[in-house]
Amino acid sequence: NTTFYMAREGSKLLLLEKASSPGVRKACGGGAMTDLKRIVSIPRAVCEREVGKTILSFQGKTRIWTSTKPAYLSFRRKNFDDFLARRAVQSGAALASGVKVLECRGGRVITASREGGKESALGAKIVIYADGVPTLAWKDHGIGFSLKAPFYEALVYELRALSNRTEEFHFCLFPDK
């Protein structure tokens, strides 16, 4: 979303995607707070469902929140990430797929081609880390989460059935110990 607004304002941007296309390889599920739908203007074709019940299971305890208003959106990450990248490109950003970012320091971005592994360097005034957790921002600048930080594994399901009538988000977190 940041690239969309920056490109729309005339900034020269390059999106670097390590996979063949955005969202192909994602570790996290496709869900977000409903406010995101308004902020990002997510089209109906991308947003699959809005749910008002949230269940959190953590270390053997369960809490349930319900609301008459939807609290979460459900979407497939491939569709959502494609939407964001396409919108940024339509606003003037460029997209390079199959490029792995190895390091970002002092306005210099070191990349490697996924196919040949050839390294190259790019100049950048601004680097936006959209690589998830843990992020290269920690390695390069001490921002975000370290690979050594305690993490929790989450049980994530993304159901592809058209008849899916799930009216809740259920987060199951397991301590990594």
Side-chain angles (χ1 to χ4, degrees):
N1 200 40
T2 301
T3 55
F4 162 72
Y5 287 108
M6 290 180 70
R8 195 174 73 174
E9 296 300 317
S11 296
K12 185 176 177 183
L13 299 168
L14 173 61
L15 299 170
L16 301 173
E17 172 59 52
K18 68 181 170 186
S20 57
S21 66
V24 169
R25 296 177 49 119
K26 285 291 178 199
C28 69
M33 301 294 288
T34 52
D35 291 347
L36 189 66
K37 185 177 181 181
R38 177 185 45 79
I39 293 167
V40 180
S41 302
I42 301 173
R44 177 173 242 121
V46 172
C47 178
E48 295 181 338
R49 182 178 311 279
E50 297 182 30
V51 297
K53 183 176 180 182
T54 306
I55 302 171
L56 173 64
S57 299
F58 181 68
Q59 295 181 334
K61 296 178 184 173
T62 299
R63 295 214 39 202
I64 300 172
W65 292 270
T66 58
S67 172
T68 55
K69 291 179 162 183
Y72 281 95
L73 303 174
S74 171
F75 47 78
R76 288 194 177 86
R77 282 303 302 259
K78 168 99 178 83
N79 297 347
F80 180 67
D81 290 357
D82 274 344
F83 159 70
L84 291 177
R86 197 172 43 253
R87 192 167 89 142
V89 168
Q90 289 169 350
S91 295
L95 172 64
S97 297
V99 178
K100 183 176 181 179
V101 176
L102 303 175
E103 182 179 339
C104 301
R105 288 194 190 269
R108 196 163 169 246
V109 181
I110 308 299
T111 65
S113 163
R114 299 282 296 172
E115 291 180 14
K118 182 181 175 190
E119 289 189 20
S120 59
L122 304 168
K125 291 181 182 177
I126 299 172
V127 174
I128 300 168
Y129 292 86
D131 56 342
V133 177
T135 175
L136 274 176
W138 176 264
K139 176 185 163 200
D140 296 339
H141 305 287
I143 301 167
F145 293 93
S146 163
L147 286 169
K148 296 176 184 176
F151 281 93
Y152 294 97
E153 294 179 14
L155 182 60
V156 178
Y157 291 96
E158 189 165 333
L159 304 176
R160 293 183 174 255
L162 292 176
S163 61
N164 176 11
R165 295 290 169 228
T166 303
E167 296 299 330
E168 63 193 36
F169 259 64
H170 194 152
F171 298 95
C172 301
L173 304 174
F174 306 98
D176 188 22
K177 293 182 181 181

